[in-house]
Amino acid sequence: VNDFEKKEAVDKEPIWKVLLHNDDVHTFDYVIDTIVKVVRTVTRKKAHRITMEAHKSGLATVTTTWKQLAREYSLGLQKAGLTSSIAPDKSNSC
């Protein structure tokens, strides 16, 4: 398998969403801090928007990535006490 074929395989891999579910237990600051700590690509400003979205609508997308990493992020959020899940990102499918 050459590098091009490897890249092509990755390109075809479906994208998954890391979802944050609203809870009435944690403070906004705790949720924002946790998102930034677990998903290092997310800024505090974006984490604030995600937290507000989850609060308002009950669910928010933290980030989108390949499945294994999405699973790791979701587990990291769960270990910190937040409610998180992953789901296929239908908007990114070929």
Side-chain angles (χ1 to χ4, degrees), residues 17-48:
K17 296 188 281 192
V18 178
L19 301 170
L20 175 70
H21 302 254
N22 185 44
D23 72 43
D24 296 322
V25 180
H26 300 95
T27 64
F28 285 114
D29 280 340
Y30 179 79
V31 176
I32 291 164
D33 288 343
T34 302
I35 292 170
V36 171
K37 236 179 269 170
V38 173
V39 187
R40 298 195 183 280
T41 56
V42 175
T43 62
R44 281 194 69 79
K45 190 174 181 180
K46 186 176 178 196
H48 183 267

Side-chain angles (χ1 to χ4, degrees), residues 19-24 31 54-55 58-60 62 82-86:
L19 301 170
L20 175 70
H21 302 254
N22 185 44
D23 72 43
D24 296 322
V31 176
H55 179 71
L59 194 65
V62 177
L82 304 182
T83 306
S84 176
S85 61
I86 66 170

Side-chain angles (χ1 to χ4, degrees), residues 44-82:
R44 281 194 69 79
K45 190 174 181 180
K46 186 176 178 196
H48 183 267
R49 277 200 309 268
I50 293 162
T51 304
M52 294 308 290
E53 175 70 24
H55 179 71
K56 279 192 299 199
S57 64
L59 194 65
T61 300
V62 177
T63 191
T64 55
T65 186
W66 46 286
K67 188 175 186 179
Q68 185 58 42
L69 192 54
R71 201 181 276 140
E72 283 176 33
Y73 286 153
S74 185
L75 283 173
L77 295 172
Q78 290 171 19
K79 280 181 187 162
L82 304 182

